[in-house]
Amino acid sequence: MRHLRFAALLLALAATASADPYLDAARDIGEYLLQSARHDGDGIFWAQYEGGPPTLKDEDRQFPVSMYSGAAGTGLFLLNLHRMTGEQKYLDAARAVGLRLEKIAQKLPTGAVKWEGTSERKGKSIPEGYGPGLYTGSAGIGLFLMHLHDATKDARFRTLAIAAFARVLEDAEAEHGGHHWVYSFQDIIGGEAGIGLALLEMHRMTKDARYLEAARKAATWLLAKATREKKDVFWTTFGSKDAGFSHGVSGIAFFLTAMPDKEYREAARAAAHWVESVAEPAGKDGVLWKYYAGDPPEGKPNWVMNSWCHGAPGVVRLFLAAHRRSGDAAALAAAVKGGRGIASECRLGEDKPFFYNPTLCCGGIGCTDAFVDLHRASGRAEFLGHAKTIADAVIASLRSEKGFRAYASYDEADEAEKKHPYYETGLMLGNAGIGQALLRLSAEVSGKGDRVIQLPDQPFALPAEK
């Protein structure tokens, strides 16, 4: 009998341990990141691609610092893993990221700071971290440091964050009654829309009016650059019409929706109307957006990319933000249509959901993240079910490494890469982002939706209209 009770206890413990598969998988990813971290005194950092073929030498690797692919984004995930688990080692790791960022920050004569790192795009090394962007530079790094200060109460992280935003303010150039940043592209990732959202977040966190005023100037400049046709407002990106979130109209309109001023929010509503007008039917009662809105540039194909960057998972953020800020039922209905389009394109009726890759920016876990927001806004069980279905498929695709599970990227045709895959570490294209979205799903399922720190381009990071 005693043996039976002991066996029952073991079964109960096993059931408890696996009661939350999303938190379990996020923890595995966190453990992999802890084990693969590179140490620099008290600080830690990662290569953009850990692992990889034996021919790849350390000096060939990229060590980015940004929110998109670098230390700041990975640090944010670890900070959130601490918030969800209460485990000190994850907070210690996030703090070590902050110490590394402090060590490598370049001090400017004005007292501001900047960072320089490298990342890789299409096989070419590119500088990153040197600009002001939310995902590509100082604004995103500064926000991570502010959240790290809140968690650790270490004043040096707040001081460093303010110095990062001092650099953002100093680099703004006056034009069209507002201001802009000369090496940005209007967008969420590195441009005025993302920087503006970061400035609004800094204003909320510090109550410093300079940040709100700077956000207003960025919004004024964006209005001056807009194209107006009848009741619509839109912006062109690299000479093309783009309804998407990362570089296109939805991301810019999201920022204007977040503004407290009537003129900007009216422009955002007009932009949302244009975004709706270029949607295409998908499945039953759903819509999707193609990579280009209208005719693509000469010689380039147009396709549906069902992702945060270019597609419905990002676009629905605009409509959810509009609903959160104003309670507009039509905006929520537009978001629901987009959500049903995502489900249609993911082919959720089949055995294996379709997505380009598992990442937050371009793939499956970005769809899960969109479904979590849709469920939270609408209360529709279908969206929580979709979020789980895709998350389950993403978790099943993780590879065992160092005793834990993590996302591995490799060329199917390259036998050397199959044996030595790359493990992308960052937020938007790597393991940190997969873990982050899994934490959000875990929080949604458990009713702890506010526990995960969100970036300011997410709908529920915005204050609801009173």
Side-chain angles (χ1 to χ4, degrees):
M1 182 66 71
R2 185 176 300 169
H3 293 299
L4 290 174
R5 284 199 295 268
F6 182 70
L9 176 61
L10 289 177
L11 287 172
L13 289 173
T16 301
S18 61
D20 189 341
Y22 311 114
L23 183 57
D24 290 346
R27 195 194 299 266
D28 268 1
I29 288 171
E31 291 296 329
Y32 169 75
L33 289 169
L34 293 189
Q35 292 204 20
S36 60
R38 292 155 183 259
H39 294 262
D40 177 18
D42 292 331
I44 60 173
F45 64 104
W46 294 265
Q48 184 175 4
Y49 306 103
E50 291 291 5
T55 54
L56 184 62
K57 307 297 183 183
D58 277 353
E59 59 267 25
D60 298 326
R61 296 179 187 273
Q62 315 302 319
F63 302 101
V65 293
S66 70
M67 188 64 71
Y68 191 88
S69 58
T74 306
L76 181 68
F77 161 60
L78 292 169
L79 184 55
N80 277 322
L81 191 53
H82 162 70
R83 288 168 67 92
M84 284 293 291
T85 65
E87 293 191 40
Q88 184 66 31
K89 61 183 173 181
Y90 301 126
L91 179 59
D92 291 343
R95 183 176 182 275
V97 172
L99 294 176
R100 162 75 176 180
L101 289 170
E102 180 185 44
K103 181 176 181 178
I104 66 173
Q106 299 179 25
K107 296 181 180 179
L108 303 176
T110 60
V113 297
K114 67 176 182 177
W115 288 268
E116 290 184 4
T118 58
S119 62
E120 189 171 300
R121 184 176 298 161
K122 295 182 179 179
K124 296 180 180 179
S125 296
I126 59 169
E128 61 99 75
Y130 67 94
L134 172 62
Y135 280 99
T136 58
S138 296
I141 296 170
L143 287 185
F144 163 66
L145 292 166
M146 284 296 293
H147 289 301
L148 187 59
H149 165 260
D150 283 353
T152 63
K153 309 306 177 189
D154 189 331
R156 68 179 124 174
F157 296 132
R158 179 185 174 91
T159 299
L160 191 60
I162 290 172
F165 274 91
R167 199 267 176 129
V168 173
L169 296 179
E170 288 171 6
D171 279 5
E173 295 201 2
E175 186 179 66
H176 299 312
H179 65 204
H180 71 121
W181 289 266
V182 293
Y183 30 76
S184 61
F185 299 102
Q186 303 179 156
D187 60 11
I188 283 286
I189 285 184
E192 284 73 19
I195 297 167
L197 285 169
L199 290 165
L200 289 176
E201 184 71 3
M202 276 296 283
H203 175 250
R204 282 192 285 272
M205 296 177 83
T206 66
K207 309 305 180 188
D208 188 330
R210 292 180 304 158
Y211 301 126
L212 178 57
E213 180 58 26
R216 284 193 172 113
K217 288 183 178 179
T220 297
W221 183 84
L222 284 168
L223 288 192
K225 299 293 287 185
T227 298
R228 299 175 185 271
E229 290 183 356
K230 298 179 180 179
K231 294 183 179 180
D232 291 339
V233 170
F234 60 89
W235 293 261
T236 55
T237 305
F238 310 122
S240 301
K241 292 180 180 179
D242 179 355
F245 193 79
S246 63
H247 298 298
V249 173
S250 292
I252 298 170
F254 184 104
F255 163 50
L256 298 178
T257 299
M259 291 295 294
D261 310 277
K262 182 179 179 181
E263 63 177 305
Y264 305 125
R265 290 171 67 172
E266 286 180 347
R269 281 191 287 271
H273 183 269
W274 179 84
V275 171
E276 277 195 271
S277 75
V278 297
E280 299 193 4
K284 183 179 179 181
D285 301 325
V287 295
L288 286 171
W289 287 266
K290 287 187 175 179
Y291 196 97
Y292 299 102
D295 295 329
E298 185 176 353
K300 291 194 174 183
N302 203 3
W303 69 96
V304 170
M305 188 172 180
N306 203 29
S307 60
W308 169 87
C309 51
H310 298 280
V315 174
V316 297
R317 287 191 179 189
L318 168 60
F319 299 112
L320 291 174
H323 175 255
R324 179 161 176 78
R325 297 287 282 151
S326 66
D328 183 357
L332 180 58
V336 166
K337 284 185 178 181
R340 288 175 175 161
I342 298 168
S344 173
E345 183 67 12
C346 286
R347 304 165 200 168
L348 295 183
E350 300 179 9
D351 291 339
K352 184 178 180 181
F354 166 77
F355 42 80
Y356 294 100
N357 61 47
T359 68
L360 186 56
C361 178
C362 306
I365 211 67
C367 296
T368 286
D369 202 58
F371 285 133
V372 166
D373 283 330
L374 284 159
H375 176 259
R376 192 170 178 192
S378 70
R380 293 174 182 265
E382 65 184 283
F383 293 129
L384 188 59
H386 296 338
K388 290 178 178 180
T389 297
I390 296 178
D392 290 345
V394 169
I395 291 171
S397 75
L398 301 180
R399 178 176 175 135
S400 178
E401 179 69 11
K402 298 181 183 294
F404 303 101
R405 292 170 292 176
Y407 159 51
S409 177
Y410 53 88
D411 184 342
E412 289 282 358
D414 189 322
E415 292 300 322
E417 281 197 15
K418 283 184 180 180
K419 293 179 181 178
H420 305 279
Y422 295 97
Y423 289 84
E424 298 183 59
T425 57
L427 186 70
M428 296 307 289
L429 291 177
N431 277 289
I434 294 172
Q436 177 91 340
L438 291 172
L439 288 179
R440 291 201 66 219
L441 177 55
S442 171
E444 186 70 12
V445 170
S446 62
K448 301 174 182 176
D450 292 328
R451 186 167 292 184
V452 177
I453 298 166
Q454 299 178 65
L455 290 175
D457 66 324
Q458 292 179 288
F460 286 95
L462 300 181
E465 192 75 353
K466 296 180 180 179

